Amino acid sequence: MATLARLQGRSAVIRNQYYYRNSVVNQFRKKENDAAIKIQSWFRGCKVRAYIRYLYKKVTIIQKWWRSYLGRQQYQLMVKVAYYTMKMNLYNTMAVRIQRRWRGYRIRKYCFNYYYLKEYLKAVSETNDVIREALEEFAEMKEKEERKADLEREEKKRDYQARKMHYLLSTKQIPGVYNSPFRREPDPWELQLQKAKPLTHRKPNIKQKCSINLSSWLECTRSRSFPQSEILPPINRKQCQGPFRDLSEVLQQRYKPLEPTLRVAEPISELKEAREAFRREELVLNIHENVFLPFSTYHKNKEKYRPSVHSSSKYGAASYGHQHFRDENPQKWVNSKCYVLMLLT
């Protein structure tokens, strides 16, 4: 009983100790929980970072292999371009060398060959003399023909003038103007009037009814484009003599045909046709004179490319003939090559 009483007396202290120990345990439990969470987060972070480092290493390896592959491809392309550039430069050098040899051969054999040029100039001078003589003969013949035509025109003009002035001819009773009694001999015009016949005027073909077509009047295609009144019939009387103009000539001058302007005479598509003709001419005369290899950088820092004389001469293409440039023409040799070889040996 004493023990029970002692325990009952210490119940308050035990209760306080119980509550105190429970609160302390809860604080320690919370501290331990926070520490466990911190340890877990650190461990999981280490695992994630280790995994990420592993992924970075693998990605780096993949990128390294891929970039090495691209580098090898680019290097092969650069090697190929360099190879083709060197080959094209070699081809250009060989082409220039061939052109230099051929031009030197042609200049030495044809252009600066003294005896060949002497014979050529002699033949040219003879040909020029022959052509000059033929041209002089032709000019003299044309001059004679023109002189003859002028004389014929003047003769026709004098005859026509004499026919128009036939009324001035002398008669038995009255002498004419050109046959003065105070002169020993008559004037040459008097003899011309005696040979000439009197000029008779033609009667114009006059229609009694003037039929006008509306379409021809609007298009101005008739000689008389405007409506005219009916022409009176001619009076049957003697034609007047004297220096009067012919009736047909007067009518032709009065009723001139339509003379269209340049805008009407030329077609509407004249500019387009002219441009098309100019374009065709440019296509015919277009010559490709570029470098042998356009993408080559060999000639960029060099001197400008000079085209060949065959295509860039202002006097046209040189007539090399249809034979190959290595063929020989013994007729143009200055000396016999066999004799020269014998002398050299």
Side-chain angles (χ1 to χ4, degrees):
M1 291 298 291
T3 304
L4 180 61
R6 196 170 46 253
L7 290 174
Q8 286 179 355
R10 294 178 58 188
S11 62
V13 178
I14 293 171
R15 189 182 304 113
N16 292 331
Q17 289 181 359
Y18 175 75
Y19 284 113
Y20 174 74
R21 289 179 180 178
N22 284 337
S23 61
V24 171
V25 168
N26 289 333
Q27 290 178 3
F28 277 105
R29 186 184 295 115
K30 185 177 180 181
K31 190 180 294 185
E32 289 175 357
N33 189 19
D34 294 338
I37 291 173
K38 187 179 292 185
I39 293 170
Q40 287 180 355
S41 62
W42 174 80
F43 180 72
R44 290 172 182 175
C46 291
K47 286 180 65 176
V48 170
R49 283 190 291 272
Y51 183 68
I52 290 174
R53 283 196 298 271
Y54 173 76
L55 292 179
Y56 281 167
K57 289 181 180 180
K58 298 304 178 183
V59 169
T60 304
I61 293 172
I62 294 172
Q63 288 181 350
K64 180 172 64 177
W65 280 96
W66 173 247
R67 289 172 182 175
S68 64
Y69 172 75
L70 291 180
R72 287 191 296 272
Q73 293 291 331
Q74 187 176 4
Y75 176 74
Q76 291 178 3
L77 182 62
M78 292 173 61
V79 169
K80 188 180 295 184
V81 171
Y83 169 71
Y84 279 111
T85 304
M86 292 175 59
K87 187 166 66 174
M88 291 299 108
N89 291 335
L90 177 63
Y91 290 166
N92 288 330
T93 306
M94 294 297 106
V96 170
R97 187 176 298 178
I98 293 171
Q99 288 182 353
R100 184 169 66 244
R101 294 291 179 86
W102 160 241
R103 290 172 184 173
Y105 168 75
R106 184 176 181 275
I107 289 294
R108 289 192 300 273
K109 187 170 183 179
Y110 298 106
C111 297
F112 293 102
N113 192 340
Y114 172 75
Y115 297 101
Y116 175 74
L117 287 176
K118 186 177 180 180
E119 294 294 332
Y120 173 73
L121 293 176
K122 183 179 179 181
V124 169
S125 61
E126 293 177 356
T127 306
N128 291 339
D129 294 338
V130 173
I131 293 174
R132 192 178 294 109
E133 292 177 0
L135 290 176
E136 290 177 357
E137 293 179 358
F138 180 73
E140 186 177 356
M141 182 181 66
K142 294 294 290 184
E143 186 178 357
K144 289 182 180 178
E145 291 180 357
E146 290 179 359
R147 196 181 302 115
K148 184 178 178 182
D150 293 339
L151 292 175
E152 289 180 356
R153 281 194 295 270
E154 291 178 0
E155 186 66 26
K156 288 182 180 180
K157 187 176 180 180
R158 285 197 300 269
D159 187 24
Y160 181 73
Q161 193 70 19
R163 292 182 66 186
K164 289 180 67 174
M165 297 188 303
H166 191 269
Y167 65 96
L168 300 176
L169 183 64
S170 301
T171 59
K172 292 182 179 181
Q173 299 295 333
I174 302 173
V177 178
Y178 299 105
N179 190 12
S180 177
F182 301 102
R183 299 179 62 177
R184 293 182 181 180
E185 296 180 356
D187 195 83
W189 269 105
E190 182 68 22
L191 303 177
Q192 188 76 19
L193 292 175
Q194 292 177 5
K195 295 178 182 179
K197 296 181 180 180
L199 185 64
T200 58
H201 299 284
R202 296 180 181 179
K203 294 182 180 181
N205 297 327
I206 301 173
K207 297 182 180 179
Q208 295 295 333
K209 295 182 180 181
C210 183
S211 59
I212 301 172
N213 190 6
L214 183 61
S215 62
S216 62
W217 176 69
L218 292 175
E219 295 174 359
C220 298
T221 56
R222 298 176 68 252
S223 60
R224 300 181 182 183
S225 302
F226 300 96
Q228 303 285 341
S229 61
E230 294 184 359
I231 302 175
L232 297 176
I235 301 175
N236 293 328
R237 64 183 179 85
K238 185 178 180 181
Q239 297 288 339
C240 57
Q241 295 184 355
F244 301 104
R245 298 175 64 184
D246 192 7
L247 182 60
S248 60
E249 185 178 355
V250 174
L251 292 176
Q252 184 179 4
Q253 184 178 3
R254 182 178 296 176
Y255 304 108
K256 291 182 179 180
L258 178 65
E259 297 180 358
T261 59
L262 182 63
R263 183 176 179 182
V264 179
E266 295 293 333
I268 193 172
S269 61
E270 180 68 20
L271 181 60
K272 185 177 180 181
E273 294 176 359
R275 288 177 178 173
E276 187 67 24
F278 183 71
R279 188 180 67 82
R280 288 197 298 268
E281 185 178 357
E282 281 188 346
L283 289 176
V284 171
L285 298 178
N286 189 14
I287 299 175
H288 183 70
E289 277 291 345
N290 296 330
V291 190
F292 189 75
L293 186 61
F295 58 83
S296 176
T297 58
Y298 179 75
H299 295 281
K300 287 186 177 179
N301 299 324
K302 300 291 182 178
E303 60 181 4
K304 189 177 179 180
Y305 175 72
R306 297 180 181 178
S308 62
V309 182
H310 180 74
S311 58
S312 63
S313 176
K314 64 179 181 179
Y315 300 104
S319 57
Y320 292 157
H322 300 285
Q323 296 180 351
H324 197 265
F325 72 94
R326 291 187 180 275
D327 294 342
E328 296 180 350
N329 190 2
Q331 297 178 358
K332 295 184 179 180
W333 290 352
V334 179
N335 295 320
S336 178
K337 290 194 174 183
C338 296
Y339 178 70
V340 174
L341 292 174
M342 289 173 61
L343 291 177
L344 291 175
T345 55

